[in-house]
Amino acid sequence: MNTPNAESGPRTPPRRPYALVRALAHSLARPSSDTAPLLSGASAPWQRALPYVVAVALVASLLPVTVVVLGNDHGVGGGVAGMLATAQTAPLLLAVARPLQAWWIVAPAHLAGAVASLLSSDSVSAWPWTPPGVIGYLALLTALSLRERARTLTAVWLTTGAAGFGLDLIAPGRSGTSTSVLVFVLGGVLLLLGGALRERGEARRRLTEQVGISEAERARRTLLEERTRIARELHDVVAHHMSVITVRADSAPYRIEGLPEEALEEFTAIGASARESLTEMRRLLGVLRSEDNGGERTPQPGVDRLFPLVDAVSRAGVPTTLSFEGAQVRGLPPAVDLSAYRIVQEALANVVRHAPGARALVTVGLASRGPAGERELRIEVVNDAAGAPGEPLEPRAEGTGHGLVGMRERVRLLGGTLQTGPTPEGGFRVAAALPLAAHPGTDGAGGADGTATGAGEGAGREDVSTS
């Protein structure tokens, strides 16, 4: 006794023939839900009008010819010939938008025409399909193949072949030329080609949709990643100041003698609140930080770190000049200081990737804006056209612009403005303005005592050029 192989799994019983026939018949009764005219999505107006022009031309040419052929060659009466010819050709206009409904009119009309010819004439030159009927029916099948599913096309093809061969069996040798085989073969070829074109168009449409969805998801993921990175960096900045507050509040009773009891309690409460805030912030950071991204062990960079950054970019093949304009930049708020460095870093990285060999100019300075004279840090990174031979590392036409996403997020966080775009000379410009008014206690132009300090000596403009 043979036992089934357990590894092969349960076998699906084969479908019975009548179930397959029922499925095919069911597909004939369910036309496609798309009722838009053929080529309605074309961009050119003449392309959208082409199906109507072809349908009108076919009806205008085939209708009178069919009447003549049915009346003279097949012996059908004038009134009956006119009705049959109209039913066989006029629905071609309907086939532009609803080809399956048109087929349900045209196919019975051709069958009725063959029966009328069988009853009216003993012998004809072509039967069961008349020559104009063959042309119109193949045109209908072409429209049908561009709209309906593969199962529906198979059902139409088999029904057409069964009807033609059935009529040949009823009246064998009735005509000099049997058109059943011709319609069956050519119809199958047209249905196959049209179905393939429709499937290709559907595949391209779905691919385009997926590409759009992927780009949107990629941009959204990049935005979220950049926001998470900014949150981590802000944690490092804020945690430093909160730690200072905690230490100063806890050490105040030992540093200051003769404090009243109320002041000691106030300092204790301040230290406890600062420690609680640090704990909550670290808990939040643990949610944002991925498992493979550990904490930073080095201080966050600022404007004072632009010198080694410019030097590294110059060694990478992009001669870069760093200039400070106006009051010397020192004592910036930590968030502004960090964002300024990151904006310059990303802008120079884009120059290296997209314009190798170009020269870049980085300008950093403090300025006033508005009638109130609010202070802001202005950053500008400008490069000329690529000067190195060969292709860019990442062609600008194919760039994703994810670096600009991070710049915009940082500027938006600080309430500033960002301008990016190509220059008339063929280069690219990034300009950011970061306001300092939202960060009291410093104007960005001096140290803690209000005197001007900086990386270099003297006021005014400082240029650092590396190549």
Side-chain angles (χ1 to χ4, degrees):
M1 179 176 180
N2 295 330
T3 58
N5 189 355
E7 297 181 356
S8 62
R11 295 183 179 180
T12 303
R15 300 187 64 180
R16 297 181 180 179
Y18 76 85
L20 180 59
V21 173
R22 184 175 60 183
L24 293 175
H26 185 65
S27 65
L28 290 176
R30 298 184 61 185
S32 173
S33 58
D34 185 8
T35 59
L38 297 174
L39 301 183
S40 60
S43 57
W46 69 268
Q47 293 176 342
R48 295 193 296 269
L50 182 61
Y52 291 100
V53 173
V54 173
V56 170
L58 286 174
V59 173
S61 59
L62 295 179
L63 178 57
V65 176
T66 303
V67 172
V68 173
V69 170
L70 288 177
N72 296 339
D73 189 22
H74 293 255
V76 181
V80 177
M83 289 188 297
L84 291 174
T86 302
Q88 292 176 8
T89 56
L92 294 178
L93 298 173
L94 177 64
V96 175
R98 294 175 172 84
L100 187 59
Q101 290 88 331
W103 179 83
W104 274 107
I105 302 174
V106 173
H110 279 292
L111 183 60
V115 174
S117 174
L118 182 63
L119 298 177
S120 304
S121 177
D122 295 334
S123 179
V124 293
S125 60
W127 190 83
W129 305 89
T130 62
V134 172
I135 297 175
Y137 193 77
L138 293 179
L140 174 61
L141 293 183
T142 301
L144 196 67
S145 66
L146 297 175
R147 174 59 53 83
E148 298 298 332
R149 302 177 297 271
R151 178 179 293 181
T152 304
L153 300 183
T154 303
V156 168
W157 181 58
L158 294 178
T159 302
T160 300
F165 293 133
L167 291 172
D168 284 338
L169 291 177
I170 294 175
R174 170 174 172 75
S175 65
T177 302
S178 176
T179 54
S180 299
V181 177
L182 177 66
V183 172
F184 184 70
V185 174
L186 289 182
V189 172
L190 291 177
L191 290 175
L192 180 61
L193 293 178
L197 289 176
R198 183 185 63 82
E199 291 293 338
R200 181 173 179 269
E202 287 292 327
R204 293 183 61 181
R205 181 184 61 81
R206 289 193 295 268
L207 179 60
T208 302
E209 293 178 355
Q210 289 298 323
V211 168
I213 294 174
S214 299
E215 286 297 329
E217 289 295 329
R218 187 180 297 110
R220 180 175 177 271
R221 184 172 63 251
T222 302
L223 182 62
L224 294 177
E225 290 175 353
E226 189 62 30
R227 286 179 176 176
T228 303
R229 178 186 177 189
I230 294 173
R232 293 197 300 264
E233 293 177 346
L234 285 180
H235 162 267
D236 298 336
V237 171
V238 176
H240 166 72
H241 294 280
M242 295 295 293
S243 299
V244 172
I245 293 174
T246 303
V247 172
R248 295 189 66 178
D250 290 341
S251 62
Y254 305 99
R255 293 183 291 104
I256 305 174
E257 297 180 357
L259 288 176
E261 188 67 24
E262 292 81 1
L264 293 176
E265 293 178 357
E266 188 68 19
F267 278 121
T268 302
I270 292 173
S273 297
R275 281 190 293 272
E276 183 179 356
S277 299
L278 278 174
T279 301
E280 292 295 330
M281 190 161 47
R282 289 185 180 115
R283 184 179 298 113
L284 176 61
L285 182 67
V287 176
L288 295 176
R289 196 183 301 277
S290 59
E291 296 180 358
D292 57 349
N293 192 342
E296 297 289 343
R297 303 303 182 189
T298 58
Q300 293 294 344
V303 173
D304 59 333
R305 298 295 300 167
L306 291 179
F307 296 98
L309 174 64
V310 167
D311 183 62
V313 172
S314 298
R315 290 198 303 268
V318 178
T320 306
T321 300
L322 174 62
S323 298
F324 288 90
E325 293 184 343
Q328 295 198 16
V329 181
R330 192 67 181 268
L332 294 172
V336 176
D337 202 22
L338 174 61
S339 296
Y341 178 86
R342 293 302 187 196
I343 291 173
V344 175
Q345 182 186 41
E346 183 59 39
L348 292 179
N350 287 340
V351 177
V352 174
R353 287 194 296 262
H354 302 297
R359 301 188 65 87
L361 173 62
V362 181
T363 304
V364 181
L366 294 171
S368 300
R369 66 170 183 175
E374 298 176 350
R375 303 284 283 173
E376 66 180 9
L377 178 67
R378 294 183 179 178
I379 306 163
E380 185 180 64
V381 181
V382 182
N383 66 276
D384 54 14
E391 295 293 331
L393 299 181
E394 296 180 15
R396 182 174 299 170
E398 300 177 1
T400 58
H402 293 168
L404 298 180
V405 172
M407 295 184 196
R408 293 191 184 99
E409 282 298 301
R410 293 181 183 277
V411 171
R412 183 186 307 167
L413 176 69
L414 300 175
T417 59
L418 178 69
Q419 297 178 354
T420 61
T423 62
E425 294 78 16
F428 201 81
R429 174 177 178 268
V430 174
L434 308 179
L436 307 181
H439 307 276
T442 178
D443 61 358
D449 58 355
T451 60
T453 59
E457 298 180 359
R461 177 184 177 117
E462 176 186 355
D463 292 345
V464 180
S465 179
T466 60
S467 59

PDB file of all heavy atoms in Angstrom, residues 27-28 49 62 73 75 92 140 155 162 168 182 185 189 219 222 250 271 281 299 347 360 387 440 452 455 467:
ATOM      1  N   SER A  27     -16.719  35.448 -16.056  1.00  0.00           N
ATOM      2  CA  SER A  27     -15.884  36.589 -16.438  1.00  0.00           C
ATOM      3  C   SER A  27     -16.504  37.381 -17.581  1.00  0.00           C
ATOM      4  O   SER A  27     -16.313  38.594 -17.675  1.00  0.00           O
ATOM      5  CB  SER A  27     -14.483  36.112 -16.825  1.00  0.00           C
ATOM      6  OG  SER A  27     -14.536  35.302 -17.996  1.00  0.00           O
ATOM      7  N   LEU A  28     -17.258  36.691 -18.465  1.00  0.00           N
ATOM      8  CA  LEU A  28     -17.920  37.414 -19.554  1.00  0.00           C
ATOM      9  C   LEU A  28     -19.029  38.327 -19.049  1.00  0.00           C
ATOM     10  O   LEU A  28     -19.393  39.296 -19.726  1.00  0.00           O
ATOM     11  CB  LEU A  28     -18.497  36.423 -20.571  1.00  0.00           C
ATOM     12  CG  LEU A  28     -17.493  35.651 -21.427  1.00  0.00           C
ATOM     13  CD1 LEU A  28     -18.216  34.649 -22.312  1.00  0.00           C
ATOM     14  CD2 LEU A  28     -16.659  36.616 -22.267  1.00  0.00           C
ATOM     15  N   ALA A  49      -8.119  61.658 -28.874  1.00  0.00           N
ATOM     16  CA  ALA A  49      -9.200  61.626 -29.861  1.00  0.00           C
ATOM     17  C   ALA A  49      -9.044  60.495 -30.872  1.00  0.00           C
ATOM     18  O   ALA A  49      -9.998  60.183 -31.602  1.00  0.00           O
ATOM     19  CB  ALA A  49      -9.266  62.960 -30.606  1.00  0.00           C
ATOM     20  N   LEU A  62     -17.715  50.477 -42.831  1.00  0.00           N
ATOM     21  CA  LEU A  62     -18.173  49.090 -42.788  1.00  0.00           C
ATOM     22  C   LEU A  62     -19.691  48.958 -42.850  1.00  0.00           C
ATOM     23  O   LEU A  62     -20.199  47.938 -43.349  1.00  0.00           O
ATOM     24  CB  LEU A  62     -17.661  48.413 -41.514  1.00  0.00           C
ATOM     25  CG  LEU A  62     -16.145  48.241 -41.388  1.00  0.00           C
ATOM     26  CD1 LEU A  62     -15.799  47.578 -40.061  1.00  0.00           C
ATOM     27  CD2 LEU A  62     -15.606  47.406 -42.551  1.00  0.00           C
ATOM     28  N   ASP A  73     -24.792  39.225 -51.633  1.00  0.00           N
ATOM     29  CA  ASP A  73     -24.068  37.954 -51.633  1.00  0.00           C
ATOM     30  C   ASP A  73     -24.773  36.889 -50.789  1.00  0.00           C
ATOM     31  O   ASP A  73     -24.740  35.707 -51.127  1.00  0.00           O
ATOM     32  CB  ASP A  73     -22.657  38.204 -51.097  1.00  0.00           C
ATOM     33  CG  ASP A  73     -21.764  36.979 -51.265  1.00  0.00           C
ATOM     34  OD1 ASP A  73     -22.073  36.142 -52.134  1.00  0.00           O
ATOM     35  OD2 ASP A  73     -20.776  36.852 -50.517  1.00  0.00           O
ATOM     36  N   GLY A  75     -28.125  37.103 -49.753  1.00  0.00           N
ATOM     37  CA  GLY A  75     -29.561  37.024 -50.009  1.00  0.00           C
ATOM     38  C   GLY A  75     -30.447  37.453 -48.868  1.00  0.00           C
ATOM     39  O   GLY A  75     -31.617  37.055 -48.814  1.00  0.00           O
ATOM     40  N   LEU A  92     -19.196  49.575 -32.385  1.00  0.00           N
ATOM     41  CA  LEU A  92     -17.772  49.888 -32.339  1.00  0.00           C
ATOM     42  C   LEU A  92     -17.536  51.246 -31.689  1.00  0.00           C
ATOM     43  O   LEU A  92     -16.459  51.487 -31.118  1.00  0.00           O
ATOM     44  CB  LEU A  92     -17.175  49.860 -33.747  1.00  0.00           C
ATOM     45  CG  LEU A  92     -17.145  48.484 -34.440  1.00  0.00           C
ATOM     46  CD1 LEU A  92     -16.586  48.605 -35.843  1.00  0.00           C
ATOM     47  CD2 LEU A  92     -16.334  47.488 -33.627  1.00  0.00           C
ATOM     48  N   LEU A 140     -12.841  45.150 -32.851  1.00  0.00           N
ATOM     49  CA  LEU A 140     -13.473  45.059 -31.534  1.00  0.00           C
ATOM     50  C   LEU A 140     -12.625  44.235 -30.578  1.00  0.00           C
ATOM     51  O   LEU A 140     -12.466  44.593 -29.394  1.00  0.00           O
ATOM     52  CB  LEU A 140     -14.865  44.441 -31.679  1.00  0.00           C
ATOM     53  CG  LEU A 140     -15.614  44.149 -30.378  1.00  0.00           C
ATOM     54  CD1 LEU A 140     -15.843  45.433 -29.588  1.00  0.00           C
ATOM     55  CD2 LEU A 140     -16.927  43.449 -30.667  1.00  0.00           C
ATOM     56  N   ALA A 155     -12.078  33.751 -22.494  1.00  0.00           N
ATOM     57  CA  ALA A 155     -13.474  33.356 -22.687  1.00  0.00           C
ATOM     58  C   ALA A 155     -14.014  33.870 -24.014  1.00  0.00           C
ATOM     59  O   ALA A 155     -14.735  33.158 -24.730  1.00  0.00           O
ATOM     60  CB  ALA A 155     -14.323  33.878 -21.530  1.00  0.00           C
ATOM     61  N   ALA A 162     -15.690  28.583 -30.777  1.00  0.00           N
ATOM     62  CA  ALA A 162     -16.758  27.586 -30.679  1.00  0.00           C
ATOM     63  C   ALA A 162     -17.924  27.937 -31.597  1.00  0.00           C
ATOM     64  O   ALA A 162     -18.514  27.062 -32.254  1.00  0.00           O
ATOM     65  CB  ALA A 162     -17.232  27.486 -29.232  1.00  0.00           C
ATOM     66  N   ASP A 168     -19.688  25.828 -38.883  1.00  0.00           N
ATOM     67  CA  ASP A 168     -19.085  24.997 -39.937  1.00  0.00           C
ATOM     68  C   ASP A 168     -19.580  23.556 -39.853  1.00  0.00           C
ATOM     69  O   ASP A 168     -19.757  22.875 -40.887  1.00  0.00           O
ATOM     70  CB  ASP A 168     -17.564  25.037 -39.825  1.00  0.00           C
ATOM     71  CG  ASP A 168     -16.989  26.352 -40.355  1.00  0.00           C
ATOM     72  OD1 ASP A 168     -17.680  27.019 -41.150  1.00  0.00           O
ATOM     73  OD2 ASP A 168     -15.859  26.709 -39.953  1.00  0.00           O
ATOM     74  N   LEU A 182      -9.774  31.802 -39.836  1.00  0.00           N
ATOM     75  CA  LEU A 182      -9.122  33.110 -39.937  1.00  0.00           C
ATOM     76  C   LEU A 182      -9.434  33.987 -38.727  1.00  0.00           C
ATOM     77  O   LEU A 182      -8.532  34.567 -38.116  1.00  0.00           O
ATOM     78  CB  LEU A 182      -9.575  33.798 -41.228  1.00  0.00           C
ATOM     79  CG  LEU A 182      -9.046  35.223 -41.450  1.00  0.00           C
ATOM     80  CD1 LEU A 182      -7.540  35.197 -41.636  1.00  0.00           C
ATOM     81  CD2 LEU A 182      -9.737  35.866 -42.664  1.00  0.00           C
ATOM     82  N   VAL A 185      -7.770  32.452 -35.446  1.00  0.00           N
ATOM     83  CA  VAL A 185      -6.319  32.618 -35.328  1.00  0.00           C
ATOM     84  C   VAL A 185      -5.940  34.086 -35.167  1.00  0.00           C
ATOM     85  O   VAL A 185      -5.205  34.466 -34.243  1.00  0.00           O
ATOM     86  CB  VAL A 185      -5.622  32.004 -36.553  1.00  0.00           C
ATOM     87  CG1 VAL A 185      -4.122  32.298 -36.521  1.00  0.00           C
ATOM     88  CG2 VAL A 185      -5.851  30.502 -36.605  1.00  0.00           C
ATOM     89  N   VAL A 189      -4.298  36.086 -31.895  1.00  0.00           N
ATOM     90  CA  VAL A 189      -3.056  36.866 -31.935  1.00  0.00           C
ATOM     91  C   VAL A 189      -3.282  38.280 -31.426  1.00  0.00           C
ATOM     92  O   VAL A 189      -2.505  38.816 -30.624  1.00  0.00           O
ATOM     93  CB  VAL A 189      -2.495  36.880 -33.373  1.00  0.00           C
ATOM     94  CG1 VAL A 189      -1.321  37.844 -33.477  1.00  0.00           C
ATOM     95  CG2 VAL A 189      -2.074  35.480 -33.797  1.00  0.00           C
ATOM     96  N   ALA A 219      11.800  60.166   1.905  1.00  0.00           N
ATOM     97  CA  ALA A 219      11.897  61.533   2.411  1.00  0.00           C
ATOM     98  C   ALA A 219      11.386  61.614   3.843  1.00  0.00           C
ATOM     99  O   ALA A 219      11.975  62.303   4.691  1.00  0.00           O
ATOM    100  CB  ALA A 219      11.105  62.472   1.509  1.00  0.00           C
ATOM    101  N   THR A 222      13.974  60.028   6.122  1.00  0.00           N
ATOM    102  CA  THR A 222      15.113  60.920   6.286  1.00  0.00           C
ATOM    103  C   THR A 222      14.787  62.064   7.233  1.00  0.00           C
ATOM    104  O   THR A 222      15.603  62.452   8.072  1.00  0.00           O
ATOM    105  CB  THR A 222      15.524  61.482   4.916  1.00  0.00           C
ATOM    106  OG1 THR A 222      15.846  60.394   4.047  1.00  0.00           O
ATOM    107  CG2 THR A 222      16.732  62.379   5.044  1.00  0.00           C
ATOM    108  N   ASP A 250      23.742  72.454  44.205  1.00  0.00           N
ATOM    109  CA  ASP A 250      24.152  71.578  45.310  1.00  0.00           C
ATOM    110  C   ASP A 250      25.339  72.128  46.071  1.00  0.00           C
ATOM    111  O   ASP A 250      25.505  71.870  47.280  1.00  0.00           O
ATOM    112  CB  ASP A 250      24.483  70.182  44.760  1.00  0.00           C
ATOM    113  CG  ASP A 250      23.245  69.445  44.279  1.00  0.00           C
ATOM    114  OD1 ASP A 250      22.136  69.843  44.685  1.00  0.00           O
ATOM    115  OD2 ASP A 250      23.396  68.490  43.498  1.00  0.00           O
ATOM    116  N   GLY A 271      18.217  71.985  42.682  1.00  0.00           N
ATOM    117  CA  GLY A 271      19.044  70.836  42.318  1.00  0.00           C
ATOM    118  C   GLY A 271      18.218  69.595  42.055  1.00  0.00           C
ATOM    119  O   GLY A 271      18.494  68.832  41.114  1.00  0.00           O
ATOM    120  N   MET A 281      14.978  63.499  30.504  1.00  0.00           N
ATOM    121  CA  MET A 281      15.550  63.735  29.189  1.00  0.00           C
ATOM    122  C   MET A 281      16.362  62.537  28.721  1.00  0.00           C
ATOM    123  O   MET A 281      16.317  62.150  27.549  1.00  0.00           O
ATOM    124  CB  MET A 281      16.413  64.996  29.221  1.00  0.00           C
ATOM    125  CG  MET A 281      16.872  65.468  27.858  1.00  0.00           C
ATOM    126  SD  MET A 281      17.403  67.187  27.879  1.00  0.00           S
ATOM    127  CE  MET A 281      18.441  67.192  29.322  1.00  0.00           C
ATOM    128  N   PRO A 299      32.770  66.525  22.795  1.00  0.00           N
ATOM    129  CA  PRO A 299      31.906  67.707  22.812  1.00  0.00           C
ATOM    130  C   PRO A 299      31.314  67.987  21.427  1.00  0.00           C
ATOM    131  O   PRO A 299      31.930  67.690  20.398  1.00  0.00           O
ATOM    132  CB  PRO A 299      32.845  68.832  23.261  1.00  0.00           C
ATOM    133  CG  PRO A 299      33.994  68.146  23.922  1.00  0.00           C
ATOM    134  CD  PRO A 299      34.133  66.826  23.223  1.00  0.00           C
ATOM    135  N   ALA A 347      26.686  71.527   3.710  1.00  0.00           N
ATOM    136  CA  ALA A 347      26.835  72.270   2.456  1.00  0.00           C
ATOM    137  C   ALA A 347      28.158  71.928   1.774  1.00  0.00           C
ATOM    138  O   ALA A 347      28.205  71.716   0.550  1.00  0.00           O
ATOM    139  CB  ALA A 347      26.741  73.769   2.723  1.00  0.00           C
ATOM    140  N   ALA A 360      35.048  76.779  -3.105  1.00  0.00           N
ATOM    141  CA  ALA A 360      33.942  77.114  -2.203  1.00  0.00           C
ATOM    142  C   ALA A 360      34.350  78.268  -1.305  1.00  0.00           C
ATOM    143  O   ALA A 360      35.523  78.401  -0.930  1.00  0.00           O
ATOM    144  CB  ALA A 360      33.544  75.903  -1.363  1.00  0.00           C
ATOM    145  N   GLY A 387      35.078  71.861 -11.279  1.00  0.00           N
ATOM    146  CA  GLY A 387      36.269  72.095 -12.072  1.00  0.00           C
ATOM    147  C   GLY A 387      37.068  70.852 -12.370  1.00  0.00           C
ATOM    148  O   GLY A 387      37.967  70.869 -13.187  1.00  0.00           O
ATOM    149  N   PRO A 440      18.310  84.499  25.284  1.00  0.00           N
ATOM    150  CA  PRO A 440      18.810  85.620  26.073  1.00  0.00           C
ATOM    151  C   PRO A 440      20.080  85.251  26.824  1.00  0.00           C
ATOM    152  O   PRO A 440      20.376  84.101  27.081  1.00  0.00           O
ATOM    153  CB  PRO A 440      17.647  85.906  27.038  1.00  0.00           C
ATOM    154  CG  PRO A 440      16.917  84.595  27.144  1.00  0.00           C
ATOM    155  CD  PRO A 440      17.048  83.948  25.828  1.00  0.00           C
ATOM    156  N   ALA A 452      34.642  91.788  23.091  1.00  0.00           N
ATOM    157  CA  ALA A 452      34.753  91.025  21.841  1.00  0.00           C
ATOM    158  C   ALA A 452      35.919  90.071  21.942  1.00  0.00           C
ATOM    159  O   ALA A 452      37.034  90.446  22.275  1.00  0.00           O
ATOM    160  CB  ALA A 452      34.934  91.970  20.661  1.00  0.00           C
ATOM    161  N   ALA A 455      38.476  83.798  17.523  1.00  0.00           N
ATOM    162  CA  ALA A 455      39.565  82.889  17.236  1.00  0.00           C
ATOM    163  C   ALA A 455      40.783  83.629  16.760  1.00  0.00           C
ATOM    164  O   ALA A 455      41.902  83.201  16.963  1.00  0.00           O
ATOM    165  CB  ALA A 455      39.100  81.856  16.211  1.00  0.00           C
ATOM    166  N   SER A 467      43.972  75.462   0.626  1.00  0.00           N
ATOM    167  CA  SER A 467      43.866  74.835  -0.687  1.00  0.00           C
ATOM    168  C   SER A 467      44.847  73.692  -0.758  1.00  0.00           C
ATOM    169  O   SER A 467      45.758  73.595   0.053  1.00  0.00           O
ATOM    170  CB  SER A 467      44.130  75.853  -1.800  1.00  0.00           C
ATOM    171  OG  SER A 467      45.427  76.389  -1.639  1.00  0.00           O
TER     172      SER A 467
END
